[in-house]
């Protein structure tokens, strides 16, 4: 059975367009479990640069934290991701988080050893926060160059926008179920 699932997954991946990134679907429970913090905030600065060995472009975004749904993050967190533009060189990292100054975001964050954070689940842990008729919504961030597969190898259903207050309640409920203390 394991070989059949692996073979099916390999066939699905082989049939995808070249250049696409493929990720396994993460459930809400997975994202909460893997996150040191979940924050709502605003991107205040974005900078891209080459790694010290010059092999890849990375981007760091400074996010001013307006509210922590889980964890005790600093008032400003630095989030690192692959991709960006430096001196006319552009690296497109499909499925990885992308940031724009002044954008409002909801981020599921994993701590890294160098003091910065990364988004749990790549783009699956990044949402744009928008307001409509006085209600805030978490809108999934996705790009056309990535594929998300369920554990059985089939394309996963696309995430939908959700009311931010429902997301907050769900994160806190899932953290309590997992035995994690609500630190905020």
């Amino acid at each position: 059975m394991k070989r059949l699932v692996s073979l099916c997954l390999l066939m699905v991946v082989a049939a995808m367009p070249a250049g696409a990134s493929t990720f396994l679907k993460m459930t809400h429970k997975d994202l909460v479990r893997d996150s040191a913090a979940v924050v709502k905030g605003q991107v205040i600065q974005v900078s891209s640069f080459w790694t010290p060995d010059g092999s890849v472009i990375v981007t760091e975004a400074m996010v001013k934290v307006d509210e922590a749904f889980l964890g005790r993050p600093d008032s400003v967190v630095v989030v690192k991701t692959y991709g960006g533009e430096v001196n006319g060189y552009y690296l497109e990292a499909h499925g990885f988080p992308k940031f724009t100054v002044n954008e409002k975001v909801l981020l599921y964050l994993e701590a890294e050893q160098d003091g910065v954070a990364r988004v749990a689940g790549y783009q699956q842990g990044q949402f744009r926060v928008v307001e409509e008729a006085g209600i805030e919504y978490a809108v999934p961030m996705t790009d056309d160059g990535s594929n998300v597969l369920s554990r059985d190898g089939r394309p996963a259903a696309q995430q939908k926008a959700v009311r931010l207050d429902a997301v907050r309640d769900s994160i806190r409920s899932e953290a309590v179920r997992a035995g994690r203390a609500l630190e905020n």
Side-chain angles (χ1 to χ4, degrees):
M1 181 65 176
K2 213 176 200 181
R3 283 186 183 180
L4 178 60
V5 170
S6 296
L7 180 60
C8 289
L9 185 59
L10 179 61
M11 289 183 344
V12 169
V13 171
M16 292 180 186
S21 299
T22 302
F23 304 91
L24 281 178
K25 172 76 175 145
M26 292 187 73
T27 65
H28 176 71
K29 181 178 179 178
D30 295 334
L31 288 170
V32 172
R33 179 198 64 222
D34 291 352
S35 298
V38 181
V39 301
K40 173 189 154 197
Q42 184 169 358
V43 179
I44 56 175
Q45 183 179 338
V46 177
S47 56
S48 298
F49 52 90
W50 289 98
T51 56
D53 66 0
S55 62
V56 69
I57 296 173
V58 295
T59 294
E60 285 185 351
M62 291 178 64
V63 178
K64 179 185 167 288
V65 175
D66 296 326
E67 183 179 359
F69 294 178
L70 181 66
R72 297 185 93 171
D74 293 334
S75 61
V76 174
V77 294
V78 178
V79 183
K80 187 185 288 187
T81 189
Y82 287 101
E85 182 178 2
V86 177
N87 297 328
Y89 292 95
Y90 187 75
L91 174 64
E92 177 72 24
H94 293 292
F96 285 75
K98 293 168 183 59
F99 297 97
T100 304
V101 172
N102 293 324
E103 181 176 54
K104 293 183 180 186
V105 292
L106 171 69
L107 301 172
Y108 291 74
L109 298 174
E110 294 182 32
E112 290 287 318
Q113 292 180 355
D114 58 1
V116 299
R118 72 180 181 101
V119 177
Y122 306 96
Q123 270 187 337
Q124 295 177 78
Q126 179 187 25
F127 297 80
R128 182 178 301 113
V129 175
V130 298
E131 188 173 323
E132 188 175 303
I135 299 172
E136 289 184 310
Y137 292 89
V139 179
M141 300 281 289
T142 57
D143 63 44
D144 292 335
S146 64
N147 301 295
V148 179
L149 301 178
S150 61
R151 301 243 180 246
D152 65 3
R154 293 186 215 165
Q158 289 219 311
Q159 294 179 318
K160 305 264 190 251
V162 180
R163 285 179 61 131
L164 194 60
D165 55 354
V167 173
R168 178 187 304 109
D169 294 344
S170 180
I171 289 167
R172 292 179 175 166
S173 294
E174 188 57 48
V176 168
R177 272 194 296 280
R180 292 186 56 188
L182 295 176
E183 301 166 2
N184 53 354

